[in-house]
Amino acid sequence: MKLYSFLFTLISTTLIFAQSTPYVSDVWVADNGDGTYNNPILYSDYSDPDVARVGDDYYMTSSSFNSAPGLPILHSKDMVNWKLINHALLVQVPAEVFNVPQHGNGVWAPAIRYHKGELYIYWGDPDFGIYMVKTKDPKGKWDEPILVMEGKGLIDPCPLWDDNGDAYLVHAFAGSRAGVKSLITVNKMNPEGTKVIDRGVHVFDGHENHKTVEGTKFYKRNGYYYIFAPAGGVPIGWQLILRSKNIYGPYEEKIVLEQGSTDTNGPHQGAWVDTPDGESWFFHFQDLEAYGRIIHLQPMRWKNDWPVMGKDFDGNGVGEPVKTHKKPNVGKTYPIETPAETDNFDGNDIGLQWQWNANSDVVWHAKFSHKDYLRLFSIIVPEDAPNLWMVPNLLLQKFPAPSFTTSTKITLVPEGATSGKTAGLIIMGMDYATLSISVDEQGYFIKQTEAIGAIKGVEEQINAKERLKTNTAYFRVEVSAPDAMCQFSYSENGKNYKKIGKPFKAKQGKWVGAKVGLFSVSTKDAKRYGYADVDYFRITK
């Protein structure tokens, strides 16, 4: 009996330790382990970040566009080490629209705020309006989305609950839908924050000095209302601060962060966050094309009721991004941790790092706790799809670092089909490349393909093709800095790898960085059924 008790305790302790051990990336860690950190803190496409503090916990969300689930929720105790803990939007709405890939549409620039014991997230969908979800438990289920303000071109919203309980919403406009941009508008909401109740007041026009002003964040401090807003465009812009004693203005303006003499382009659009002891910090992104909009953390202080960000290296009175800095003083030291990348498929479901190319269908995959592999079923490619760009069942995750290697083991089971079944590894963007295993009447083979101009409907081209002895293959793709060049290779035994095809330069998607992932598809004319079993998906140096 004592032996059984001992074994039970040992197994339980092992499981608890395995569940609680922080994931640490093999390819990018911002925490230097000596009380300092390097930027970027996240070398991944967490575009348009916003952060809210709840006590001594910090929660980040970001744009997710057409990917599902959407609105990633990351948690940190020190603002440098982050863990992906949830998604606030499991199904993109309207569901029938986002059941089909909607590249570049969907969730734009969310804002996250803590109010009366709940976390709220507001975001703009440029085609439908401004939505909101909320929860008391960020790790649990979030409420169903509420359409707070219907309309086209309404983007980048942020709420503010004033001292008297009145609720307001600031937002910008997408020129592609609204016909105008570079305007900032404030609307009044009901106290619950569930409905806009007026037509709004334009409070700032950036056409003369701050074109493409957008990405608004609303704050109040020392009697001033502040609107933090990026301007000048994503790759080359700057961070603008507006302030006024009246919520409807007029607003004074000041540029507080720019690239200046640094190599961090377009530093803007993010979040002001304070520590419990009153330190101020600013999160922003940097656009690096195929690598996406990666996340930086800048020290911030206040001078004459204006925020001062980063460090003024060139002496012109405007802050510039720092590369290395002392970590925020949060009173304790926390373990190094990074968002998960590798997935050994040994749990009840796939890891939170995975997102589909559209709202997911339950028949696309199966993951059983007693099976240490992922099963991807052979789903028929849409009839009008000339390539994989508009295929919804692509399982993808963000690039995690400037250089990394992805490896996987895939077994194709065509279930009697002698053609039309393909599964493999993909680097996805407006151009994409694959390494896949397929079947024909002669047996199994692999092929390395690319679709240069996939977004325009260009068909895949086969760069190389090799025969296999079995239905199992080991695939690998090495991504190297600084240009995100990708080289595929394969092995039949998992030890000896051979390069295949030609190098491929990864390209960003629509408003997102390139992604790496898996797919399993079937042609319409192929015999029904079939699947691919994936043993692991590893991200290493």
Side-chain angles (χ1 to χ4, degrees):
M1 192 67 182
K2 289 182 179 179
L3 178 61
Y4 290 138
S5 177
F6 171 76
L7 289 174
F8 177 79
T9 302
L10 180 63
I11 292 169
S12 300
T13 303
T14 302
L15 288 172
I16 292 170
F17 179 77
Q19 291 169 359
S20 60
T21 301
Y23 181 92
V24 179
S25 173
D26 193 42
V27 293
W28 188 263
V29 175
D31 193 325
N32 292 319
D34 60 0
T36 66
Y37 70 93
N38 292 330
N39 273 317
I41 56 166
L42 293 170
Y43 212 113
S44 286
D45 186 33
Y46 288 103
S47 174
D48 313 318
D50 197 26
V51 179
R53 178 173 66 84
V54 182
D56 58 0
D57 293 285
Y58 301 88
Y59 296 96
M60 179 191 294
T61 191
S62 70
S63 297
S64 49
F65 300 100
N66 66 293
S67 298
L71 289 173
I73 304 297
L74 297 98
H75 171 259
S76 178
K77 299 293 281 189
D78 62 6
M79 290 190 265
V80 172
N81 295 285
W82 291 90
K83 178 181 181 180
L84 181 60
I85 62 167
N86 203 358
H87 288 88
L89 187 64
L90 298 184
V91 177
Q92 292 251 32
V93 291
E96 65 276 8
V97 173
F98 289 95
N99 290 341
V100 176
Q102 299 288 333
H103 293 280
N105 301 334
V107 177
W108 284 24
I112 185 168
R113 291 292 181 271
Y114 185 64
H115 176 65
K116 289 187 175 182
E118 293 185 287
L119 277 168
Y120 290 71
I121 298 178
Y122 289 76
W123 76 93
D125 181 311
D127 296 306
F128 297 100
I130 293 170
Y131 289 94
M132 180 271 286
V133 292
K134 63 186 179 72
T135 188
K136 293 180 180 178
D137 178 12
K139 294 182 181 179
K141 189 177 186 303
W142 289 65
D143 293 351
E144 293 300 314
I146 295 172
L147 186 59
V148 175
M149 185 179 182
E150 186 176 2
K152 275 195 173 292
L154 307 174
I155 59 168
D156 303 356
C158 184
L160 184 144
W161 281 271
D162 212 340
D163 303 330
N164 62 3
D166 287 349
Y168 298 90
L169 191 75
V170 67
H171 68 85
F173 294 89
S176 58
R177 275 74 160 186
V180 65
K181 64 176 185 176
S182 304
L183 278 177
I184 294 176
T185 302
V186 171
N187 287 85
K188 193 167 186 181
M189 296 192 291
N190 61 5
E192 298 77 23
T194 59
K195 203 71 181 175
V196 162
I197 57 176
D198 69 2
R199 297 187 64 184
V201 176
H202 296 317
V203 298
F204 186 76
D205 184 343
H207 282 87
E208 283 79 16
N209 300 316
H210 302 287
K211 289 183 179 180
T212 319
V213 63
E214 55 187 2
T216 52
K217 298 292 183 288
F218 225 170
Y219 307 98
K220 191 175 185 182
R221 178 187 181 274
N222 284 357
Y224 281 103
Y225 296 93
Y226 290 90
I227 299 173
F228 286 36
V234 169
I236 57 172
W238 52 89
Q239 183 64 39
L240 176 68
I241 305 295
L242 308 174
R243 76 174 189 184
S244 174
K245 291 283 189 177
N246 187 308
I247 200 163
Y248 295 116
Y251 279 86
E252 303 172 82
E253 64 183 75
K254 185 177 177 67
I255 297 174
V256 299
L257 188 68
E258 64 180 3
Q259 178 174 351
S261 60
T262 75
D263 59 1
T264 305
N265 59 291
H268 63 191
Q269 187 152 339
W272 163 39
V273 183
D274 62 1
T275 67
D277 289 337
E279 281 188 1
S280 288
W281 295 83
F282 183 69
F283 294 84
H284 68 88
F285 72 71
Q286 173 192 13
D287 185 274
L288 286 184
E289 297 180 340
Y291 294 106
R293 300 174 183 182
I294 63 176
I295 309 305
H296 292 242
L297 177 64
Q298 300 301 330
M300 175 176 149
R301 58 188 176 89
W302 292 87
K303 184 178 180 181
N304 300 325
D305 284 320
W306 286 106
V308 178
M309 298 176 181
K311 187 173 180 180
D312 183 10
F313 295 107
D314 60 9
N316 70 344
V318 179
E320 300 164 52
V322 299
K323 277 289 187 186
T324 301
H325 199 272
K326 185 178 179 181
K327 290 171 59 179
N329 180 11
V330 294
K332 290 177 66 177
T333 299
Y334 291 93
I336 293 176
E337 186 166 23
T338 61
E341 301 149 353
T342 289
D343 197 340
N344 290 315
F345 304 121
D346 51 7
N348 293 321
D349 204 349
I350 57 177
L352 290 171
Q353 65 267 36
W354 294 108
Q355 293 174 294
W356 298 96
N357 207 28
N359 284 335
S360 65
D361 192 313
V362 69
V363 302
W364 290 352
H365 82 290
K367 181 68 203 72
F368 302 104
S369 59
H370 62 289
K371 303 286 188 181
D372 55 354
Y373 58 79
L374 167 67
R375 180 159 291 178
L376 293 174
F377 295 101
S378 303
I379 303 301
I380 295 174
V381 172
E383 192 169 353
D384 57 349
N387 56 46
L388 297 178
W389 175 255
M390 289 300 290
V391 169
N393 60 305
L394 305 183
L395 186 60
L396 307 170
Q397 61 172 278
K398 308 173 190 299
F399 274 24
S403 297
F404 63 96
T405 297
T406 296
S407 57
T408 188
K409 177 185 177 184
I410 300 178
T411 299
L412 182 66
V413 182
E415 288 195 304
T418 55
S419 66
K421 307 294 179 182
T422 299
L425 182 62
I426 185 169
I427 297 287
M428 187 65 188
M430 288 189 282
D431 300 338
Y432 73 76
T434 77
L435 180 57
S436 61
I437 179 172
S438 300
V439 64
D440 62 16
E441 292 183 353
Q442 299 175 50
Y444 298 95
F445 63 94
I446 61 172
K447 57 183 178 180
Q448 195 275 303
T449 74
E450 63 182 14
I452 306 300
I455 188 175
K456 299 176 183 178
V458 173
E459 292 185 0
E460 275 188 25
Q461 300 296 315
I462 299 175
N463 292 330
K465 184 176 177 181
E466 300 282 350
R467 282 283 162 191
L468 288 175
K469 298 182 181 71
T470 69
N471 64 334
T472 295
Y474 298 81
F475 293 152
R476 190 165 68 187
V477 59
E478 297 175 69
V479 180
S480 57
D483 299 322
M485 293 301 298
C486 307
Q487 177 62 63
F488 290 95
S489 58
Y490 77 98
S491 171
E492 293 192 73
N493 59 13
K495 298 176 182 178
N496 304 313
Y497 280 84
K498 176 184 176 183
K499 290 182 180 180
I500 185 171
K502 58 183 182 180
F504 168 77
K505 181 176 170 55
K507 189 170 183 178
Q508 66 269 30
K510 193 75 178 289
W511 312 129
V512 299
K515 296 185 179 184
V516 59
L518 301 161
F519 68 99
S520 178
V521 295
S522 174
T523 60
K524 182 182 178 182
D525 299 329
K527 184 178 179 180
R528 288 185 183 181
Y529 315 123
Y531 55 86
D533 286 341
V534 186
D535 279 34
Y536 55 81
F537 189 93
R538 294 175 185 154
I539 302 287
T540 57
K541 288 183 179 178

